[in-house]
Amino acid sequence: MANNYVNFISDEHLLNCIANLHKSYLKAKSNVSKKSFYANKVDTIKLTFDAKFNDINEEDLIQSEILRQIDKSINNSIGTFHEQILGGIEGFEVGDLSGFDVKAKDNTLFALFQLEPIPSKFQDAIFEKLAKQAQLFRQASCYLVDFTREDDYVENWAITTEESSVSHKRVFKISGTRFYEVVTGEKEVHERIRHSIDLLLQSIF
């Protein structure tokens, strides 16, 4: 398989991942229209105030809200895109029945993806799931991969309350950019993927 764009997945795999995401965008756009926008019991009085007081054309405001709804519905598809890209790297796979988004085939890595802020009441359960996996597989590193932040980081994850702090030496919170480096073993790989996607989109659309 050719590797003209990045050297850890084939061009065919990268194209398939982009094609799958494109289908998700088309589906999301078809599900959210101006007609469905009003059918969703939008507060038209508030819409009028928003347009007037924010000095925005009402049509532009409606279009902006439609795009926001599309963006909200596409969020899971972005997660699937990352799963497919990372799961296509040699030695890794999409988690599927394991309950994780991506895992190493030899069970030395397990990851869950964070695509939006996680309410604090759910963080304990997510940490516990990763910690249990780290206990079950003594060579495994377990990650909560944060795609919501722009900064590049990796840190040991600790759940802290006023009374206590709980952590595990092989459970981490990590940025999406750094996680790509962990899985591929290459520096600045996230930016190379972004650049490759940009080139492919220009050639396709």
Side-chain angles (χ1 to χ4, degrees), residues 16-29 31 70-85 113 115-116 147 180:
N16 285 338
C17 292
I18 292 173
N20 290 337
L21 184 59
H22 182 229
K23 290 176 184 176
S24 297
Y25 268 89
L26 292 176
K27 182 178 179 181
K29 287 169 68 176
N31 289 339
I70 291 172
D71 183 69
K72 185 177 180 180
S73 67
I74 208 69
N75 214 30
N76 285 338
S77 298
I78 294 294
T80 300
F81 174 78
H82 287 300
E83 287 178 18
Q84 292 173 345
I85 290 288
F113 292 171
L115 303 170
E116 56 189 24
F147 286 101
Y180 267 86

Side-chain angles (χ1 to χ4, degrees), residues 82-100:
H82 287 300
E83 287 178 18
Q84 292 173 345
I85 290 288
L86 293 162
I89 297 171
E90 185 176 358
F92 295 88
E93 61 187 1
V94 176
D96 287 335
L97 299 179
S98 71
F100 292 86

Side-chain angles (χ1 to χ4, degrees), residues 34 38 47-65:
K34 189 173 180 180
Y38 281 111
L47 188 68
T48 301
F49 281 131
D50 286 345
K52 188 65 176 178
F53 293 158
N54 292 322
D55 195 24
I56 301 173
N57 179 279
E58 189 167 319
E59 286 297 318
D60 291 340
L61 189 62
I62 291 170
Q63 187 59 34
S64 175
E65 178 60 21

